Structure formats: structure tokens, C-alpha cells
Amino acid sequence: MTARLMLAVGGAVMGSLQFGYNTGVINAPQEVIESFYNLTWYDRYGEYITPGTLTTLWSLSVSIFSIGGMIGAFSVGLFVNRFGRRNSMLMSNSLAFIAAALMGFSKMASSFEMLILGRFTIGVYSGLTTGFVPMYVGEVSPTALRGALGTLHQLAVVVGILIAQIFGLDLIMGSESLWPLLLGFIFIPALIQCIMLPFAPESPRFLLINRNEENKAKSVLKKLRGTTDVSSDLQEMKEESRQMMREKKVTILELFRSPMYRQPILIAVVLQLSQQLSGINAVFYYSTKIFSKAGVKQPVYATIGAGVVNTAFTVVSLFVVERAGRRTLHLIGLAGMAGCAVLMTIALALLDQLDWMSYISIIAIFGFVAFFEIGPGPIPWFIVAELFSQGPRPSAFAVAGLANWTSNFIVGMGFQYIEELCKAYVFIIFVVLLILFFVFTYFKVPETKGRTFDEIASEFRQGGAGQADNKTPDEFHSLGADSQV
């Protein structure tokens, strides 16, 4: 682990922290922002806003972040091959600065439209980030550290969420006078990234495979690896480059049409869905409400407690992902979440009869969050980079990112209505989905631990994945799925 590698990864994941911060920042100051909407409406029209219109405006303020994310995620391929991975991250910060200005000055300008437009803009930035960062980190990391360093993306996301939850407290920046600063704070991580990234190298894979600049790629590899002998890395990249030259340009449609890419893109999309449709966003979006219903007197602090658990178990995943393997951790995470969701359902259903069930529901939520960060949280982001070679990788990130943000939007918009319909039994829906994702992962997802990008991609090229479809996991060794649960 060299200083240059730490700088490259550290600079990149500042974008991930930004994504996490903007995911969590909007929940705590809801009441003061709604009050701002009301007063602004009164100043303009001489009457207070109707409850229905206020709900619509607030829902739009929350959900437009995900709409921006969908657009950003789907646009990843337009930037990374044209401008490079590092330069794309640098350029995207212009969106963060614009969003910070729009949201930070929205109260001064008496314009809730500025706040909503700012949420959309930072959503586009975050969508781009969910493609740029895992791709760049995966390409600069040595094979032996790829999983651990890939997990840093998710660690930065959860640290960002935790910072937003703490800053959103009334006594810090969640007050009526300081909430614009809370939303405009995003210019600081953007500024830090703009300072750090110019000192970080471009992806050596991009330099060699996309730009054919072997000497530059060799120089960058020596700095990243801290050694003069980088022949094995170069040889692997050259082999991937030769393979890429034999393939035609891979479009998004080609990912679904070609038998070579159909299996890995299916795996990439389903793993992204397993992250968002696991119920984790339902817990985070409505955690304060869930804790209140469970009888917690200060639910906002319980929510921050869940954020601490979230961060701690992402660190655990960071240290075990290269030992246990991606597939194993994903299976453990899904199974554990399903168990906790069942426990949560029982606790919420019996809450009126037994007061002590409120403690069980809190334990279940903390367990749910912990198991999420062991597998389904970090792994879907970086495994996309591992399943594809350099040519189809940007298109694969665009499709996987779109799947992730779309499912995020669906849960964010739909959960409150489903919760009203199903009451205490709402998490049973997620239990069913988690079981389905577990079965898919067990039979279809290969283990990628310790394997080069080209080794993984060549298995799919040779049709190994297709042959493995009807085999048991014990026979899955041809795809490297040798970590069993």
C-alpha cells in the first residue's frame, strides 16, 4: 500500500462521501425546510400552502435527488472514455459547486425552486460518482487489495450519511437559521477533492488500453505499486487490450444481446437490486419514524446510533472481504438481513401487547444495518468492475448504476404507501426479496477474490458461466466460486 495509491483512492472516495452526505442530509431538517416552503408561499401569494401541495413539494425535494442520480449514472460512459477516469471526477465537481450555491442561497433568495434544482444537480453528480469512483479505484488497485480498497467507496458513503445525521441535529446545523449552511456544506468535500485529485494519477488501464500510452501507464504503475518491476501488471493489461481489439465497441444494447455479456450484466444488475430492494433505504428514510413507533424517546439519536453501526460494520467488511470472498460475504449479509427483518416484523406486530418489544425492534434494526454492510452494501459497487473487461466496463457501470438509482427511487417513493397498507408486516416483502436474492447469488454469482480482470472476463468469454448455470455450487469452481456458506 503506497502513499500514491492512498492519495488516489482517498481523493476518489471524497466523491463517495459527498453521495452519502446528500443521501442522509435531507431527513433531519424536514420540519424547518417545510416551514420555509410555507413562509415563501405566503410571501408570494398571501396565503399558506395547502397540506397536499406541501407534501408534494417535499416529496419532490427528496425524490428528485434519485432522478438526478439515474441521469448521472446512465451518463458515466459519456465521460470516462473521452476524458479519463480522474479528469471525469474532477469535472463533475462543477455540479457540486453549482448545487451548493443553489441550496445554500435558496433561503436568502426566498426560492424553494432553487433548493429543488440544487437537489437535482447534486443527484446528477452523485449518479456520476457511483460510476466514476468504483471504476477508478478498481483500476488503480492491485489484485490482492481490490476488494478491500473497493469497500472504501461504501465506507465513505456511510461516513457521509453519519456526518449528515450529526450535522442535521437542531443544536448543530438543523436549525431554522442554519439549514441553508447544512445543505450548502457540500462545497467543502468538493473543494478537498479538487485539491487532491490533480496529484493523483490517471488510471493506468485507461492510459494503456484506451490511450495506448504504454510508457505513461508503466510510470504510473511504478508509483502506485512502489516497485520498478510492474511487468506482470503490464502483461495482464496488454492481454486485455489485445482481447478488446478483437471485440467490436460494446454499447449498452450489446451487453444484453451478446451471450458473452448477458450473464455478467444480469449478475451486475441483480446485485445492485439486492442492495436497494433489501429494505435498507426503507430503514434509513424512515428510521426516525420506525424508532418513534417503537417507543424510543429520542429517535433521532437512535438513528445516529444506526449510522454508527453502519460505519463500524463497513470497516469489518473492509478487513474480511479479501479473506472470506465477495460471494460468501454477500450470502451472509442477505441471510442475516432476512433474519433481522423477520425479527423486526414480530417486534413491531407485538409492540402494543409487550412494551419490551421496542428493544427487540431496535436490536433488529441495528442487526439489519450491520448485515447490510457486511455484504450487500459494499460488494455490488466494486464487483461490476471485476465482472467486465475494459471495453464493456463503462456501459456496464451505466446499466448497473441506472438499476441501482431506479430501485432506490421506487423504494423512496413507494415505501410510505406500502407501510400504511401493510403496517407492521411491511418488512415481510423485503424478506421474500432477500430470499430470492440469496438463491440467485448462491447459484449464479462467481467468486472474484484474487483473480485478475482478464481471468474473470475470459471465463464468461469461454462460456463457463453458461455451462455453470445448471451446476451446483460445488461444481462452480470453473468460475472461481469456491467460497461456500
Side-chain angles (χ1 to χ4, degrees), residues 361-377:
S361 67
I362 293 168
I363 291 167
I365 286 177
F366 282 8
F368 192 84
V369 168
F371 279 112
F372 175 77
E373 292 304 347
I374 284 172

Side-chain angles (χ1 to χ4, degrees), residues 22 26 33-34 37 54-66 103 112-113 115-120 122 183 413:
N22 286 285
I26 202 73
I33 294 175
E34 285 181 337
Y37 285 3
L54 184 60
T55 302
T56 301
L57 277 176
W58 178 253
S59 297
L60 184 62
S61 305
V62 175
S63 62
I64 204 162
F65 176 71
S66 296
M103 293 189 289
F112 53 75
E113 293 89 349
L115 192 154
I116 293 168
L117 184 58
R119 285 284 294 170
F120 173 76
I122 199 63
L183 299 184
M413 288 299 286

